[in-house]
Amino acid sequence: MIKKIIINIFALVFLITNTSFADIKFWTTEVQPARMAKQEEMAKAFEAKTGIKVEVIPIEEKDLGTRATAAAAAGDLPDVIYHTLQYVLPWAEAGILDVDANNAVVKSLGKKTFAPGALNMAKKGGKIAAVPVDGWTQMVVYRKDLFAAAGLEPPTSYANIVKAVNALSSNDMFGFVAATKTDENFMSQVLEHVLLANGVNFVKKGGTKKQGKALKNSLEFYKVIAKASPPGELFWKQSRALYFAGKTPMIIWSPFIMDELAGLRDSAPPTINSDPTSPELASKTGFITNFSGPNNKKGAAWADVRYFGITADADTDEAKKFIEYSMSEGYTATLGIAPEGKFPVRRGNKSDPSAYTKAWSKLPVGVDRKAPLTDLYSADVIDNIVAGLDTANRWGVKEGELSRASKIINSQFLNRITREYIDDQISVDEAVKKINAELAKF
């Protein structure tokens, strides 16, 4: 009888142990029902291949930080978290992420197969603290046909943009539509993009940096594009509407405009002609992700990158297998969750350096109608979009000061002071002085 009990206990322990090793908990911030369904499909495909069951757990992005901190304190972190850039280095410092495990995955997949910018933003010492999954960069969206007709170079620099503004502004055309609504995050993002392009960075390790000539040049450039814009409080809505109506040759926008440009979304149709489903405007549009200023010839791209993080409480081997699968055999499905906003940060593999870029470009985008990007845009346009992740950047990332940079941005003093300068209330030197005074508070 005792022998039977002992055998049963061992059998139960064996079953529980094996079950626990076969279960991975995966937190994701892609919580919309359609995206959850796609992630569940991926989990089933992974289970069918490996026998490892994945529980996909939706976590609202706004709750991710507090949930992770509480789970870490309780020793109950999930195995893998899909998370934003802002958490990579803080979580690595706090011991929430298993940096060695994540670095091992990147090495296994091949560092050279990843976009350098996405890796650099996750670097902790000589290691990559989380595995880059996907990202997108802000873009200068421009009318290729109008540039070509006027003999203009693409808007890859401050100088080229100013030339285009001067050449294309008319009674029927605003030379640019800049962001000028100071309480909109859109203006914050656009300004950071413009300043990054010229090498301006507000933070250093442990504090902020006093600004000088580079900031002055950036503000003078921003005033040029703002003066070429319509009057009033402008944000993403007006810039998209005016570009769609053929009333401006240039705006700065996210890639989420790409399906709308092609007439695939009824709620935001192009109005350049009488057919709201026409791809005409898409065919005439080019995109520049990396552009430069006079103080930073190599330029920069403002990027939002997402990562997979193996946690300190993970079943490490199983978590590694899940990420490696999601970034190789299952990578097209990973990007297919929302391809217009998920550019491939892993371009290809050892046998084909552009395998995943090519696969991504054929994924259908759109809302009311669907079409692959290759049907809408040329190969050079698609390559240019993806290349932005090579120079992807954000204030405070490499310094480990993303939190400080976020506080600076969210305070919106940069927006307000820039607007005072644009509106001729203060000089550019006064604007730089006021910005430095505000920076000193952080």
Side-chain angles (χ1 to χ4, degrees):
M1 185 67 177
I2 293 172
K3 191 177 177 183
K4 273 189 177 181
I5 292 170
I6 292 170
I7 289 170
N8 286 336
I9 289 170
F10 272 110
L12 185 61
V13 168
F14 179 82
L15 179 64
I16 290 169
T17 303
N18 278 281
T19 301
S20 67
F21 276 123
D23 284 342
I24 290 179
K25 289 184 178 178
F26 170 51
W27 283 7
T28 176
T29 53
E30 297 286 16
V31 299
Q32 300 93 326
R35 296 185 186 186
M36 279 297 295
K38 288 180 180 179
Q39 290 169 100
E40 294 282 3
E41 286 174 23
M42 287 174 59
K44 285 176 184 170
F46 174 69
E47 184 183 359
K49 181 179 175 63
T50 63
I52 300 169
K53 184 179 172 64
V54 180
E55 184 183 358
V56 182
I57 302 168
I59 306 286
E60 293 285 349
E61 197 166 300
K62 63 182 175 61
D63 299 329
L64 189 58
T66 53
R67 290 284 296 272
T69 302
D76 190 31
L77 285 163
D79 299 87
V80 179
I81 305 177
Y82 175 75
H83 58 86
T84 51
L85 169 66
Q86 74 193 80
Y87 294 115
V88 176
L89 295 179
W91 281 358
E93 293 285 349
I96 289 173
L97 294 180
D98 184 336
V99 173
D100 289 334
N102 291 317
N103 189 63
V105 171
V106 171
K107 285 179 72 175
S108 170
L109 293 169
K111 261 186 166 182
K112 289 184 179 178
T113 66
F114 286 88
L119 289 179
N120 289 338
M121 290 199 290
K123 194 175 277 187
K124 185 179 186 297
K127 296 177 181 177
I128 309 301
V131 183
V133 182
D134 59 73
W136 58 269
T137 57
Q138 283 206 129
M139 310 182 295
V140 181
V141 181
Y142 75 104
R143 286 283 298 274
K144 291 188 301 181
D145 58 326
L146 298 180
F147 271 65
L152 294 164
E153 293 294 315
T156 55
S157 67
Y158 279 19
N160 288 359
I161 290 172
V162 171
K163 283 179 189 173
V165 165
N166 292 333
L168 299 176
S169 294
S170 69
N171 290 334
D172 298 320
M173 183 81 67
F174 294 104
F176 209 101
V177 184
T180 59
K181 193 171 191 302
T182 58
D183 60 352
E184 274 279 338
N185 284 337
F186 183 69
M187 184 174 180
S188 301
Q189 289 182 3
V190 171
L191 267 174
E192 187 180 353
H193 187 185
V194 168
L195 270 59
L196 277 171
N198 198 34
V200 174
N201 186 4
F202 283 171
V203 298
K204 64 183 179 183
K205 186 69 178 172
T208 58
K209 290 198 284 195
K210 189 174 181 181
Q211 301 300 310
K213 188 175 180 181
L215 176 60
K216 181 177 177 178
N217 289 339
S218 297
L219 292 174
E220 287 173 338
F221 167 75
Y222 205 82
K223 187 166 186 172
V224 170
I225 62 173
K227 289 293 189 185
S229 305
E233 306 276 295
L234 308 173
F235 57 108
W236 58 265
K237 191 173 185 180
Q238 294 90 345
S239 60
R240 182 179 66 182
L242 287 162
Y243 188 83
F244 279 12
K247 297 294 185 184
T248 183
M250 283 180 289
I251 59 174
I252 291 178
W253 237 81
S254 79
F256 295 96
I257 201 171
M258 294 181 73
D259 58 339
E260 300 169 352
L261 273 170
L264 301 178
R265 188 188 294 250
D266 291 340
S267 62
T271 55
I272 192 171
N273 59 32
S274 58
D275 180 5
T277 67
S278 168
E280 179 190 350
L281 188 56
S283 71
K284 293 178 175 178
T285 295
F287 305 94
I288 300 297
T289 51
N290 182 88
F291 78 108
S292 62
N295 304 98
N296 183 36
K297 299 294 185 184
K298 70 178 182 179
W302 186 99
D304 181 31
V305 180
R306 307 293 168 116
Y307 295 82
F308 281 142
I310 298 171
T311 73
D313 296 335
D315 285 330
T316 307
D317 289 342
E318 288 79 0
K320 283 181 178 177
K321 286 176 185 174
F322 174 64
I323 295 177
E324 286 169 356
Y325 171 85
S326 300
M327 296 299 299
S328 52
E329 186 179 332
Y331 193 37
T332 304
T334 300
L335 300 171
I337 293 168
E340 65 277 4
K342 290 182 177 291
F343 297 178
V345 296
R346 189 173 187 230
R347 306 291 163 70
N349 48 41
K350 288 165 188 172
S351 59
D352 183 354
S354 60
Y356 303 125
T357 299
K358 287 186 281 194
W360 167 78
S361 70
K362 292 171 184 168
L363 291 169
V365 298
V367 176
D368 300 289
R369 286 159 295 284
K370 300 275 187 182
L373 287 171
T374 47
D375 284 4
L376 309 172
Y377 302 102
S378 63
D380 65 312
V381 167
I382 290 169
D383 289 342
N384 206 337
I385 290 167
V386 176
L389 290 164
D390 290 344
T391 53
N393 206 352
R394 292 275 284 281
W395 285 335
V397 173
K398 66 181 178 182
E399 301 85 3
E401 293 286 356
L402 193 57
S403 175
R404 190 188 305 272
S406 297
K407 287 173 185 173
I408 290 168
I409 293 161
N410 293 340
S411 71
Q412 297 181 329
F413 72 80
L414 177 61
N415 300 3
R416 293 191 297 272
I417 296 168
T418 300
R419 185 64 194 265
E420 287 176 29
Y421 168 56
I422 287 168
D423 292 342
D424 302 313
Q425 295 172 14
I426 57 175
S427 70
V428 69
D429 290 324
E430 288 172 318
V432 172
K433 188 176 179 181
K434 287 184 78 170
I435 288 167
N436 279 325
E438 290 295 330
L439 283 174
K441 299 174 184 177
F442 293 88

Coordinates of all heavy atoms in Angstrom, one line a residue, residues 41-47 49-50 109 320-331 334:
E41 N -2.9 31.9 -32.7 CA -2.6 31.0 -33.8 C -1.1 30.6 -33.8 O -0.7 29.5 -34.0 CB -3.0 31.6 -35.2 CG -4.5 31.6 -35.4 CD -4.8 32.4 -36.7 OE1 -3.9 32.6 -37.6 OE2 -5.9 32.9 -36.8
M42 N -0.3 31.7 -33.6 CA 1.2 31.5 -33.6 C 1.6 30.5 -32.4 O 2.4 29.7 -32.6 CB 1.9 32.8 -33.4 CG 1.9 33.7 -34.6 SD 2.6 35.3 -34.3 CE 4.2 34.8 -33.7
A43 N 0.9 30.7 -31.3 CA 1.3 29.9 -30.1 C 0.9 28.4 -30.4 O 1.7 27.5 -30.0 CB 0.5 30.4 -28.9
K44 N -0.2 28.2 -31.1 CA -0.6 26.8 -31.4 C 0.4 26.2 -32.5 O 0.7 25.0 -32.4 CB -2.0 26.8 -32.0 CG -3.1 27.0 -30.9 CD -4.4 27.1 -31.5 CE -5.5 27.4 -30.4 NZ -6.8 27.7 -30.9
A45 N 0.9 27.0 -33.4 CA 1.8 26.5 -34.4 C 3.1 26.2 -33.7 O 3.8 25.2 -34.0 CB 2.1 27.6 -35.5
F46 N 3.5 27.0 -32.7 CA 4.8 26.7 -32.0 C 4.6 25.4 -31.2 O 5.5 24.6 -31.1 CB 5.1 27.9 -31.1 CG 6.3 27.7 -30.2 CD1 7.6 27.6 -30.7 CD2 6.1 27.6 -28.8 CE1 8.6 27.4 -29.8 CE2 7.1 27.4 -27.9 CZ 8.4 27.3 -28.4
E47 N 3.5 25.3 -30.5 CA 3.2 24.1 -29.7 C 3.2 22.8 -30.6 O 3.8 21.8 -30.2 CB 1.9 24.2 -29.0 CG 1.6 23.0 -28.1 CD 0.2 23.1 -27.4 OE1 -0.5 24.1 -27.6 OE2 -0.1 22.1 -26.7
K49 N 4.9 22.4 -33.2 CA 6.3 22.1 -33.7 C 7.1 21.6 -32.5 O 8.0 20.7 -32.7 CB 6.9 23.4 -34.2 CG 8.3 23.2 -34.7 CD 8.9 24.5 -35.3 CE 10.4 24.3 -35.7 NZ 10.6 23.3 -36.7
T50 N 6.9 22.1 -31.3 CA 7.9 21.9 -30.2 C 7.3 21.1 -29.0 O 8.0 20.6 -28.2 CB 8.4 23.2 -29.6 OG1 7.3 23.9 -29.1 CG2 9.1 24.0 -30.7
L109 N 20.6 33.9 -33.4 CA 19.9 34.3 -34.6 C 20.9 35.0 -35.5 O 20.7 35.0 -36.8 CB 18.7 35.2 -34.3 CG 17.6 34.6 -33.5 CD1 16.6 35.7 -33.0 CD2 16.8 33.6 -34.4
K320 N 13.7 30.7 -24.8 CA 14.6 31.0 -25.9 C 14.0 30.3 -27.2 O 14.0 30.9 -28.3 CB 16.0 30.3 -25.6 CG 16.9 31.1 -24.7 CD 18.2 30.4 -24.5 CE 19.2 31.2 -23.7 NZ 20.4 30.4 -23.5
K321 N 13.5 29.1 -27.1 CA 13.0 28.4 -28.2 C 11.8 29.2 -28.8 O 11.6 29.3 -30.0 CB 12.5 27.0 -27.9 CG 13.7 26.0 -27.7 CD 13.2 24.7 -27.2 CE 14.4 23.7 -26.9 NZ 13.9 22.5 -26.3
F322 N 11.0 29.7 -27.9 CA 9.8 30.5 -28.4 C 10.2 31.7 -29.1 O 9.7 32.0 -30.2 CB 8.9 30.9 -27.2 CG 7.8 31.8 -27.5 CD1 6.7 31.3 -28.3 CD2 7.7 33.1 -27.0 CE1 5.7 32.2 -28.6 CE2 6.6 33.9 -27.3 CZ 5.6 33.4 -28.1
I323 N 11.2 32.5 -28.6 CA 11.6 33.7 -29.3 C 12.3 33.4 -30.6 O 12.1 34.0 -31.6 CB 12.5 34.5 -28.4 CG1 11.7 35.0 -27.2 CG2 13.1 35.7 -29.1 CD1 12.5 35.8 -26.2
E324 N 13.2 32.4 -30.6 CA 13.9 32.0 -31.8 C 12.9 31.6 -32.9 O 13.1 31.9 -34.1 CB 14.9 30.9 -31.5 CG 16.1 31.4 -30.8 CD 17.0 30.3 -30.2 OE1 16.6 29.1 -30.4 OE2 18.1 30.6 -29.7
Y325 N 11.8 30.8 -32.5 CA 10.8 30.5 -33.5 C 10.1 31.7 -34.0 O 9.9 31.9 -35.2 CB 9.8 29.5 -32.8 CG 8.6 29.2 -33.7 CD1 8.6 28.2 -34.6 CD2 7.4 30.0 -33.5 CE1 7.5 28.0 -35.4 CE2 6.3 29.7 -34.3 CZ 6.3 28.7 -35.2 OH 5.2 28.5 -36.0
S326 N 9.7 32.6 -33.1 CA 8.9 33.8 -33.4 C 9.8 34.8 -34.3 O 9.2 35.6 -35.0 CB 8.5 34.6 -32.2 OG 7.7 33.7 -31.4
M327 N 11.1 34.6 -34.3 CA 12.0 35.5 -35.0 C 12.6 34.8 -36.3 O 13.4 35.4 -36.9 CB 13.1 36.0 -34.1 CG 12.6 36.9 -33.0 SD 11.8 38.4 -33.5 CE 13.1 39.2 -34.5
S328 N 12.1 33.6 -36.6 CA 12.7 32.9 -37.7 C 11.5 32.3 -38.5 O 10.8 32.9 -39.3 CB 13.7 31.9 -37.3 OG 13.2 31.0 -36.3
E329 N 11.2 31.0 -38.2 CA 10.1 30.3 -38.9 C 8.8 31.1 -38.8 O 8.0 31.1 -39.7 CB 10.0 28.9 -38.4 CG 9.0 28.0 -39.2 CD 9.0 26.6 -38.6 OE1 10.0 26.2 -38.1 OE2 7.9 26.0 -38.7
G330 N 8.5 31.6 -37.6 CA 7.3 32.3 -37.3 C 7.4 33.8 -37.5 O 6.4 34.5 -37.1
Y331 N 8.5 34.3 -38.0 CA 8.6 35.8 -38.0 C 7.7 36.5 -39.0 O 7.2 37.6 -38.6 CB 10.1 36.1 -38.4 CG 10.5 37.6 -38.1 CD1 10.0 38.3 -37.0 CD2 11.3 38.3 -38.9 CE1 10.3 39.6 -36.7 CE2 11.7 39.6 -38.7 CZ 11.2 40.2 -37.6 OH 11.5 41.5 -37.3
T334 N 4.7 36.9 -37.1 CA 4.9 37.9 -36.0 C 4.6 39.3 -36.6 O 3.9 40.2 -36.0 CB 6.3 37.8 -35.4 OG1 6.5 36.6 -34.8 CG2 6.5 38.9 -34.4

